PDB file of all heavy atoms in Angstrom:
ATOM      1  N   VAL Z 119       3.178   2.044   4.202  1.00  0.00           N
ATOM      2  CA  VAL Z 119       4.396   2.770   3.974  1.00  0.00           C
ATOM      3  C   VAL Z 119       4.041   4.054   3.260  1.00  0.00           C
ATOM      4  O   VAL Z 119       3.308   4.039   2.295  1.00  0.00           O
ATOM      5  CB  VAL Z 119       5.397   1.914   3.135  1.00  0.00           C
ATOM      6  CG1 VAL Z 119       6.621   2.711   2.786  1.00  0.00           C
ATOM      7  CG2 VAL Z 119       5.735   0.630   3.821  1.00  0.00           C
ATOM      8  N   PHE Z 120       4.580   5.153   3.761  1.00  0.00           N
ATOM      9  CA  PHE Z 120       4.179   6.473   3.253  1.00  0.00           C
ATOM     10  C   PHE Z 120       5.093   7.038   2.182  1.00  0.00           C
ATOM     11  O   PHE Z 120       6.192   6.492   1.936  1.00  0.00           O
ATOM     12  CB  PHE Z 120       4.032   7.450   4.409  1.00  0.00           C
ATOM     13  CG  PHE Z 120       3.019   7.026   5.431  1.00  0.00           C
ATOM     14  CD1 PHE Z 120       3.348   6.180   6.473  1.00  0.00           C
ATOM     15  CD2 PHE Z 120       1.682   7.444   5.322  1.00  0.00           C
ATOM     16  CE1 PHE Z 120       2.391   5.763   7.399  1.00  0.00           C
ATOM     17  CE2 PHE Z 120       0.746   7.032   6.210  1.00  0.00           C
ATOM     18  CZ  PHE Z 120       1.044   6.176   7.268  1.00  0.00           C
ATOM     19  N   GLN Z 121       4.681   8.155   1.652  1.00  0.00           N
ATOM     20  CA  GLN Z 121       5.432   8.789   0.567  1.00  0.00           C
ATOM     21  C   GLN Z 121       6.811   9.210   1.027  1.00  0.00           C
ATOM     22  O   GLN Z 121       7.814   8.964   0.373  1.00  0.00           O
ATOM     23  CB  GLN Z 121       4.624  10.016   0.147  1.00  0.00           C
ATOM     24  CG  GLN Z 121       5.193  10.804  -0.959  1.00  0.00           C
ATOM     25  CD  GLN Z 121       4.163  11.796  -1.534  1.00  0.00           C
ATOM     26  OE1 GLN Z 121       3.085  11.963  -0.961  1.00  0.00           O
ATOM     27  NE2 GLN Z 121       4.496  12.437  -2.636  1.00  0.00           N
ATOM     28  N   LYS Z 122       6.855   9.901   2.178  1.00  0.00           N
ATOM     29  CA  LYS Z 122       8.120  10.327   2.728  1.00  0.00           C
ATOM     30  C   LYS Z 122       8.592   9.316   3.727  1.00  0.00           C
ATOM     31  O   LYS Z 122       7.859   8.976   4.637  1.00  0.00           O
ATOM     32  CB  LYS Z 122       7.999  11.701   3.387  1.00  0.00           C
ATOM     33  CG  LYS Z 122       8.430  12.854   2.522  1.00  0.00           C
ATOM     34  CD  LYS Z 122       8.290  14.205   3.206  1.00  0.00           C
ATOM     35  CE  LYS Z 122       9.189  14.332   4.422  1.00  0.00           C
ATOM     36  NZ  LYS Z 122       8.819  15.568   5.184  1.00  0.00           N
ATOM     37  N   PRO Z 123       9.830   8.829   3.598  1.00  0.00           N
ATOM     38  CA  PRO Z 123      10.348   7.904   4.592  1.00  0.00           C
ATOM     39  C   PRO Z 123      10.178   8.537   6.013  1.00  0.00           C
ATOM     40  O   PRO Z 123      10.576   9.711   6.173  1.00  0.00           O
ATOM     41  CB  PRO Z 123      11.826   7.689   4.237  1.00  0.00           C
ATOM     42  CG  PRO Z 123      11.997   8.253   2.846  1.00  0.00           C
ATOM     43  CD  PRO Z 123      10.862   9.178   2.569  1.00  0.00           C
ATOM     44  N   ASN Z 124       9.639   7.829   6.936  1.00  0.00           N
ATOM     45  CA  ASN Z 124       9.467   8.412   8.259  1.00  0.00           C
ATOM     46  C   ASN Z 124       9.975   7.519   9.396  1.00  0.00           C
ATOM     47  O   ASN Z 124       9.197   7.119  10.246  1.00  0.00           O
ATOM     48  CB  ASN Z 124       7.964   8.745   8.457  1.00  0.00           C
ATOM     49  CG  ASN Z 124       7.070   7.504   8.346  1.00  0.00           C
ATOM     50  OD1 ASN Z 124       7.538   6.464   7.910  1.00  0.00           O
ATOM     51  ND2 ASN Z 124       5.835   7.618   8.747  1.00  0.00           N
ATOM     52  N   PRO Z 125      11.273   7.206   9.361  1.00  0.00           N
ATOM     53  CA  PRO Z 125      11.779   6.371  10.453  1.00  0.00           C
ATOM     54  C   PRO Z 125      11.675   7.115  11.775  1.00  0.00           C
ATOM     55  O   PRO Z 125      11.659   8.341  11.783  1.00  0.00           O
ATOM     56  CB  PRO Z 125      13.260   6.140  10.051  1.00  0.00           C
ATOM     57  CG  PRO Z 125      13.593   7.235   9.142  1.00  0.00           C
ATOM     58  CD  PRO Z 125      12.327   7.613   8.454  1.00  0.00           C
ATOM     59  N   PHE Z 126      11.590   6.370  12.873  1.00  0.00           N
ATOM     60  CA  PHE Z 126      11.613   6.994  14.189  1.00  0.00           C
ATOM     61  C   PHE Z 126      13.050   7.510  14.383  1.00  0.00           C
ATOM     62  O   PHE Z 126      13.975   6.919  13.911  1.00  0.00           O
ATOM     63  CB  PHE Z 126      11.329   5.993  15.287  1.00  0.00           C
ATOM     64  CG  PHE Z 126      10.000   5.259  15.161  1.00  0.00           C
ATOM     65  CD1 PHE Z 126       9.931   3.880  15.261  1.00  0.00           C
ATOM     66  CD2 PHE Z 126       8.828   5.947  14.869  1.00  0.00           C
ATOM     67  CE1 PHE Z 126       8.737   3.207  15.134  1.00  0.00           C
ATOM     68  CE2 PHE Z 126       7.604   5.272  14.729  1.00  0.00           C
ATOM     69  CZ  PHE Z 126       7.576   3.909  14.864  1.00  0.00           C
ATOM     70  N   PRO Z 127      13.184   8.602  15.155  1.00  0.00           N
ATOM     71  CA  PRO Z 127      14.552   9.076  15.479  1.00  0.00           C
ATOM     72  C   PRO Z 127      15.227   8.170  16.514  1.00  0.00           C
ATOM     73  O   PRO Z 127      15.577   8.581  17.626  1.00  0.00           O
ATOM     74  CB  PRO Z 127      14.332  10.488  16.014  1.00  0.00           C
ATOM     75  CG  PRO Z 127      12.932  10.432  16.541  1.00  0.00           C
ATOM     76  CD  PRO Z 127      12.173   9.446  15.725  1.00  0.00           C
ATOM     77  N   LYS Z 128      15.423   6.939  16.121  1.00  0.00           N
ATOM     78  CA  LYS Z 128      15.983   5.906  16.987  1.00  0.00           C
ATOM     79  C   LYS Z 128      16.962   5.088  16.142  1.00  0.00           C
ATOM     80  O   LYS Z 128      17.136   5.354  14.952  1.00  0.00           O
ATOM     81  CB  LYS Z 128      14.900   4.975  17.498  1.00  0.00           C
ATOM     82  CG  LYS Z 128      13.907   5.645  18.475  1.00  0.00           C
ATOM     83  CD  LYS Z 128      12.772   4.643  18.719  1.00  0.00           C
ATOM     84  CE  LYS Z 128      11.758   5.206  19.712  1.00  0.00           C
ATOM     85  NZ  LYS Z 128      12.264   5.339  21.091  1.00  0.00           N
ATOM     86  N   SER Z 129      17.575   4.116  16.760  1.00  0.00           N
ATOM     87  CA  SER Z 129      18.521   3.277  15.994  1.00  0.00           C
ATOM     88  C   SER Z 129      17.756   2.449  14.989  1.00  0.00           C
ATOM     89  O   SER Z 129      16.541   2.281  15.054  1.00  0.00           O
ATOM     90  CB  SER Z 129      19.296   2.367  16.941  1.00  0.00           C
ATOM     91  OG  SER Z 129      18.431   1.337  17.409  1.00  0.00           O
ATOM     92  N   ILE Z 130      18.504   1.917  14.014  1.00  0.00           N
ATOM     93  CA  ILE Z 130      17.932   1.065  12.995  1.00  0.00           C
ATOM     94  C   ILE Z 130      17.229  -0.108  13.631  1.00  0.00           C
ATOM     95  O   ILE Z 130      16.082  -0.402  13.335  1.00  0.00           O
ATOM     96  CB  ILE Z 130      19.062   0.568  12.025  1.00  0.00           C
ATOM     97  CG1 ILE Z 130      19.650   1.760  11.257  1.00  0.00           C
ATOM     98  CG2 ILE Z 130      18.564  -0.508  11.086  1.00  0.00           C
ATOM     99  CD1 ILE Z 130      20.924   1.467  10.519  1.00  0.00           C
ATOM    100  N   ARG Z 131      17.908  -0.734  14.596  1.00  0.00           N
ATOM    101  CA  ARG Z 131      17.365  -1.876  15.305  1.00  0.00           C
ATOM    102  C   ARG Z 131      16.025  -1.497  15.976  1.00  0.00           C
ATOM    103  O   ARG Z 131      15.023  -2.206  15.854  1.00  0.00           O
ATOM    104  CB  ARG Z 131      18.352  -2.386  16.345  1.00  0.00           C
ATOM    105  CG  ARG Z 131      17.923  -3.673  17.063  1.00  0.00           C
ATOM    106  CD  ARG Z 131      18.757  -3.922  18.299  1.00  0.00           C
ATOM    107  NE  ARG Z 131      20.179  -3.932  18.083  1.00  0.00           N
ATOM    108  CZ  ARG Z 131      20.885  -4.954  17.602  1.00  0.00           C
ATOM    109  NH1 ARG Z 131      20.239  -6.078  17.294  1.00  0.00           N
ATOM    110  NH2 ARG Z 131      22.160  -4.898  17.392  1.00  0.00           N
ATOM    111  N   GLU Z 132      16.045  -0.391  16.733  1.00  0.00           N
ATOM    112  CA  GLU Z 132      14.863  -0.029  17.484  1.00  0.00           C
ATOM    113  C   GLU Z 132      13.676   0.319  16.609  1.00  0.00           C
ATOM    114  O   GLU Z 132      12.522   0.152  16.988  1.00  0.00           O
ATOM    115  CB  GLU Z 132      15.170   1.214  18.372  1.00  0.00           C
ATOM    116  CG  GLU Z 132      15.979   0.797  19.615  1.00  0.00           C
ATOM    117  CD  GLU Z 132      16.502   2.040  20.350  1.00  0.00           C
ATOM    118  OE1 GLU Z 132      17.120   2.902  19.689  1.00  0.00           O
ATOM    119  OE2 GLU Z 132      16.328   2.091  21.555  1.00  0.00           O
ATOM    120  N   ASN Z 133      13.979   0.815  15.379  1.00  0.00           N
ATOM    121  CA  ASN Z 133      12.849   1.075  14.455  1.00  0.00           C
ATOM    122  C   ASN Z 133      12.064  -0.186  14.181  1.00  0.00           C
ATOM    123  O   ASN Z 133      10.855  -0.147  14.048  1.00  0.00           O
ATOM    124  CB  ASN Z 133      13.391   1.640  13.132  1.00  0.00           C
ATOM    125  CG  ASN Z 133      13.344   3.136  13.091  1.00  0.00           C
ATOM    126  OD1 ASN Z 133      12.332   3.718  12.724  1.00  0.00           O
ATOM    127  ND2 ASN Z 133      14.414   3.801  13.560  1.00  0.00           N
ATOM    128  N   ILE Z 134      12.785  -1.279  14.154  1.00  0.00           N
ATOM    129  CA  ILE Z 134      12.138  -2.542  13.826  1.00  0.00           C
ATOM    130  C   ILE Z 134      11.521  -3.211  15.076  1.00  0.00           C
ATOM    131  O   ILE Z 134      10.454  -3.824  15.015  1.00  0.00           O
ATOM    132  CB  ILE Z 134      13.115  -3.465  13.099  1.00  0.00           C
ATOM    133  CG1 ILE Z 134      13.421  -2.808  11.769  1.00  0.00           C
ATOM    134  CG2 ILE Z 134      12.553  -4.850  12.921  1.00  0.00           C
ATOM    135  CD1 ILE Z 134      14.458  -3.484  10.983  1.00  0.00           C
ATOM    136  N   THR Z 135      12.207  -3.077  16.214  1.00  0.00           N
ATOM    137  CA  THR Z 135      11.724  -3.796  17.415  1.00  0.00           C
ATOM    138  C   THR Z 135      10.638  -2.995  18.167  1.00  0.00           C
ATOM    139  O   THR Z 135       9.984  -3.584  19.026  1.00  0.00           O
ATOM    140  CB  THR Z 135      12.867  -4.085  18.375  1.00  0.00           C
ATOM    141  OG1 THR Z 135      13.503  -2.847  18.719  1.00  0.00           O
ATOM    142  CG2 THR Z 135      13.872  -5.010  17.733  1.00  0.00           C
ATOM    143  N   TYR Z 136      10.510  -1.715  17.841  1.00  0.00           N
ATOM    144  CA  TYR Z 136       9.612  -0.859  18.630  1.00  0.00           C
ATOM    145  C   TYR Z 136       8.221  -1.442  18.811  1.00  0.00           C
ATOM    146  O   TYR Z 136       7.719  -1.623  19.923  1.00  0.00           O
ATOM    147  CB  TYR Z 136       9.555   0.525  17.934  1.00  0.00           C
ATOM    148  CG  TYR Z 136       8.786   1.535  18.720  1.00  0.00           C
ATOM    149  CD1 TYR Z 136       9.427   2.231  19.764  1.00  0.00           C
ATOM    150  CD2 TYR Z 136       7.439   1.809  18.477  1.00  0.00           C
ATOM    151  CE1 TYR Z 136       8.738   3.167  20.516  1.00  0.00           C
ATOM    152  CE2 TYR Z 136       6.766   2.733  19.213  1.00  0.00           C
ATOM    153  CZ  TYR Z 136       7.420   3.404  20.230  1.00  0.00           C
ATOM    154  OH  TYR Z 136       6.723   4.339  20.955  1.00  0.00           O
TER     155      TYR Z 136
END
Side-chain angles (χ1 to χ4, degrees):
V119 175
F120 298 88
Q121 181 166 10
K122 262 180 64 190
N124 59 348
F126 304 132
K128 292 172 178 291
S129 71
I130 294 167
R131 186 195 306 280
E132 285 168 309
N133 264 272
I134 294 175
T135 57
Y136 187 82

